[in-house]
Amino acid sequence: MRVLGLLRADASSEAGEPPSPELLERCGRFMEEVTRAGVLLASDGLQPSSQGARVRLTGGKVTVLDGPFTESKELIASYALLEVKSMAEAVEWTTRFLRALGGGECELRPLYEGPPGQEP
Amino acid sequence: MASAHDVPAAIEAIYRIESPRIVAGLTRIVGDVGVAEDLAQDALLAALEQWPASGIPENPGAWLMAAARHRAVDRVRHERMRARKHEEIGRARAADGADPTDAMDAALDDPIGDDLLRLVFLTCHPVLSLEARIALTLRLLGGLTTEEIARGFLTGEPTVAQRIVRAKRTLAEQRVPFEVPRGAALGERLAGVLAVLYLIFNEGYTATAGAEWTRPPLCLEALRLGRVLAGLLPGEPEVHGLVALMEFQASRLRARRGPSGAILRLAEQDRTLWDQTLVRRGVAALQRARDLGGPPGKHLLEAEIAACHALARSVETTEWARIVQLYDRLLEVAPSPVVALNRVVAVSMASGPEQALVLLDTLAGVPQLRGYHLLPAVRGDFLFRLGRRAEARAEFERAAALTRNDRERELLLARSQACTEPGSS
């Protein structure tokens, strides 16, 4: 199964602070582990919401709202797409990731995968 | 997710992640992959007993490794004591007196995965039958249960269990060394490992028998093992070539089955369902293989062909002439009647069915293709496209009688039926 992991933003990621060398090293080691296990399909870090925009279509009218956005609980700092055998495996990899980060919160969401109309 | 009743599921997931490395490390110490797996499973049992009460440790992999190591140390000491009792003089050689713990620490500390690689070459060793290699690889490297392997290959669980037991015994009896082959032997043995992975993949991609046309879990596991191997042998272009091939083919898994499980052929597939994440990964793996240079091997050429399909918008805009050329080179590197047959199909798309039919008939007498259902199926397709419906129908029926896969038989019978219907091809 495929699971998308979303790391919640925090004040530091929203400020665009570069990670410390120690943090980079710990995360690098984790990334190598999960890549070599063959389960990480894709991942990227996101720039702060100040660089982003929200586009909305309501009643035929488009509004574009430029960042930054304040409700940081709803903001995302990075994502990872995993191919795993179970949710428990996704939880385990996420736990390892958060331990490498030293803290934080991820949301895990399984993807719809079968052809349309034959879910899951 | 952290509630107590989820702990067994978490332990199972952790064991699946960690067990190949633990088994590999222990095999180096105890010299027997069967004993190593037993010891690793003892460690798993200890985790199942202790973790629900104590909580999952911060580094569960290290915990399992340490628990397994204690058991291995006990075992090695025990065996030595027994050996000494048997030695009447009671004189132990000096080297035997060293503390096994030190050696084990060294052996279990395997950051670049040398032991894991040794384990790959062990489970794919040529002293084992092909079925045994597949079962042992899926069990020890894929962490699949006997039941999962049995389901994948439509065999009974006892058969698979026995196959694994016998394989371990054969490895022990023949004293197969736990090592990565060197020099000229490496290329040959690596080709054998890649063949095992691709067999697993293909059984999932086009099941030889049964009610289902595809069994995606097998494909995904073969692909994952390919990626692991690419991490262990980053300098081998054929490993990246096979990974690229599997990424491209797996990208079509979703699109190959219709709503009721029926087969959809390449021309009928909704290409928007092709998985672009896997296509991108395929392109990247193919580039890595090309960048390593050297004359392109079998899997790299197969990946190049798969890339032509993966990157084409439609059957009509596919670069069929290039595909024919790639098949020509593939036939030089790895001649096989099935490759020759695939080449003829590409010729039919590049130059039309008439020319292809002539080429196809030169393959008719090849012994390896006797009884191969795709030979009449392809012939039927060419004849159908040439408007020779009655002959096409007979070929499709012949092919339907030969296949052992229910879904494929349905498709072939439907195509045979279509030959009697009025209308253009």
Side-chain angles (χ1 to χ4, degrees):
Chain A
M1 66 187 292
R2 277 195 192 173
V3 179
L4 183 68
L6 300 166
L7 175 68
R8 297 231 192 271
D10 60 17
S12 156
S13 74
E14 274 297 281
E17 286 169 12
S20 69
E22 298 80 49
L23 182 60
L24 266 184
E25 214 235 276
R26 284 203 309 269
C27 287
R29 237 181 296 146
F30 168 77
M31 291 301 284
E32 167 143 16
E33 185 190 0
V34 67
T35 303
R36 291 182 70 130
V39 302
L40 180 68
L41 295 183
S43 74
D44 282 297
L46 308 189
Q47 293 185 29
S49 73
S50 58
Q51 305 303 307
R54 280 181 180 168
V55 186
R56 188 175 299 156
L57 177 70
T58 25
K61 190 171 169 287
V62 176
T63 31
V64 179
L65 185 64
D66 286 325
F69 309 112
T70 46
E71 59 284 38
S72 76
K73 275 214 147 186
E74 289 173 24
L75 296 177
I76 293 158
S78 70
Y79 75 88
L81 185 60
L82 303 174
E83 178 75 64
V84 287
K85 300 224 169 53
S86 62
M87 258 326 250
E89 194 187 331
V91 168
E92 174 59 23
W93 284 115
T94 305
T95 305
R96 292 181 188 199
F97 172 54
L98 292 172
R99 285 203 196 279
L101 277 184
E105 182 181 319
C106 281
E107 182 172 326
L108 293 179
R109 305 281 296 270
L111 271 61
Y112 285 117
E113 285 191 83
Q118 298 179 52
E119 299 302 343
Chain B
M1 269 303 176
S3 57
H5 68 272
D6 282 319
V7 170
I11 296 173
E12 192 194 320
I14 291 164
Y15 187 73
R16 240 191 226 265
I17 295 170
E18 300 295 338
S19 67
R21 270 158 48 95
I22 297 176
V23 170
L26 292 175
T27 302
R28 184 126 87 87
I29 298 309
V30 297
D32 181 315
V33 74
V35 173
E37 197 196 7
D38 290 344
L39 291 169
Q41 282 182 343
D42 287 347
L44 168 67
L45 287 180
L48 283 166
E49 254 171 50
Q50 294 175 35
W51 293 359
S54 68
I56 296 172
E58 199 162 305
N59 190 338
W63 191 101
L64 284 169
M65 200 72 122
R69 192 186 64 195
H70 287 313
R71 283 160 178 78
V73 171
D74 282 350
R75 193 189 156 86
V76 169
R77 285 205 179 115
H78 185 79
E79 296 223 317
R80 261 182 213 161
M81 254 147 62
R82 212 176 47 187
R84 263 181 222 148
K85 278 181 195 155
H86 281 278
E87 275 182 39
E88 296 237 312
I89 328 157
R91 182 164 28 108
R93 272 163 294 160
D96 281 354
D99 186 349
T101 318
D102 295 339
M104 252 166 254
D105 278 333
L108 291 176
D109 184 24
D110 181 35
I112 38 175
D114 284 347
D115 285 336
L116 199 57
L117 191 55
R118 290 185 183 101
L119 187 61
V120 174
F121 280 102
L122 190 72
T123 63
C124 294
H125 199 278
V127 297
L128 303 174
S129 72
L130 218 41
E131 289 82 13
R133 286 179 229 174
I134 288 170
L136 203 58
T137 300
L138 285 174
R139 167 64 168 265
L140 295 182
L141 289 151
L144 265 66
T145 62
T146 312
E147 192 211 329
E148 288 168 320
I149 300 169
R151 211 185 306 137
F153 286 85
L154 304 185
T155 13
E157 229 182 298
T159 312
V160 173
Q162 232 191 20
R163 212 171 264 169
I164 291 171
V165 168
R166 237 182 278 142
K168 289 176 187 165
R169 201 188 305 144
T170 304
L171 291 172
E173 282 168 3
Q174 309 245 351
R175 295 176 185 276
V176 172
F178 189 57
E179 64 184 18
V180 176
R182 308 223 166 266
L186 176 63
E188 197 183 311
R189 290 282 309 284
L190 179 59
V193 169
L194 297 178
V196 168
L197 295 190
Y198 197 41
L199 268 176
I200 295 169
F201 184 90
N202 262 330
E203 190 52 34
Y205 194 66
T206 313
T208 44
E212 295 291 327
W213 162 237
T214 58
R215 288 196 276 281
L218 282 183
C219 293
L220 297 180
E221 187 52 31
L223 181 49
R224 191 189 70 78
L225 289 174
R227 293 177 192 141
V228 170
L229 192 60
L232 295 171
L233 290 169
E236 293 291 336
E238 278 294 89
V239 181
H240 297 294
L242 178 64
V243 170
L245 173 63
M246 294 193 290
E247 303 267 15
F248 286 133
Q249 291 191 311
S251 77
R252 297 202 287 272
L253 268 175
R254 237 187 330 189
R256 296 177 87 226
R257 287 204 306 193
S260 60
I263 299 174
L264 294 181
R265 289 177 298 143
L266 196 58
E268 300 159 342
Q269 291 172 19
D270 175 356
R271 292 187 182 219
T272 64
L273 289 178
W274 288 6
D275 188 323
Q276 293 307 314
T277 300
L278 294 186
V279 171
R280 270 195 303 279
R281 296 182 57 90
V283 169
L286 179 59
Q287 196 54 50
R288 275 194 289 277
R290 287 178 184 152
D291 289 348
L292 286 165
K298 175 176 180 269
H299 294 305
L300 174 52
L301 288 167
E302 288 167 336
E304 295 277 9
I305 293 168
C308 291
H309 292 300
L311 300 174
R313 298 247 166 256
S314 66
V315 170
E316 292 73 31
T317 56
T318 302
E319 291 183 277
W320 291 104
R322 174 172 157 76
I323 292 177
V324 173
Q325 284 172 9
L326 287 164
Y327 273 121
D328 287 337
R329 292 168 71 191
L330 184 55
L331 277 172
E332 284 167 28
V333 176
S336 102
V338 173
V339 172
L341 179 61
N342 288 335
R343 179 185 174 277
V344 173
V345 173
V347 169
S348 86
M349 298 307 292
S351 318
E354 196 153 15
Q355 193 185 329
L357 191 60
V358 176
L359 288 174
L360 186 68
D361 288 339
T362 65
L363 293 176
V366 176
Q368 292 99 314
L369 293 179
R370 195 170 299 146
Y372 186 49
H373 65 283
L374 289 182
L375 186 63
V378 165
R379 193 155 198 279
D381 181 69
F382 293 175
L383 290 165
F384 185 87
R385 285 154 63 192
L386 289 167
R388 292 159 65 175
R389 300 292 178 86
E391 292 164 85
R393 183 174 184 194
E395 295 290 352
F396 285 134
E397 278 172 7
R398 194 166 304 148
L402 287 171
T403 182
R404 291 192 292 130
N405 183 287
D406 300 347
R407 295 301 188 178
E408 214 166 12
R409 190 175 312 111
E410 276 169 27
L411 170 72
L412 290 162
L413 290 175
R415 294 205 71 190
S416 146
Q417 189 60 35
C419 295
T420 63
E421 287 157 13
S424 67
S425 54

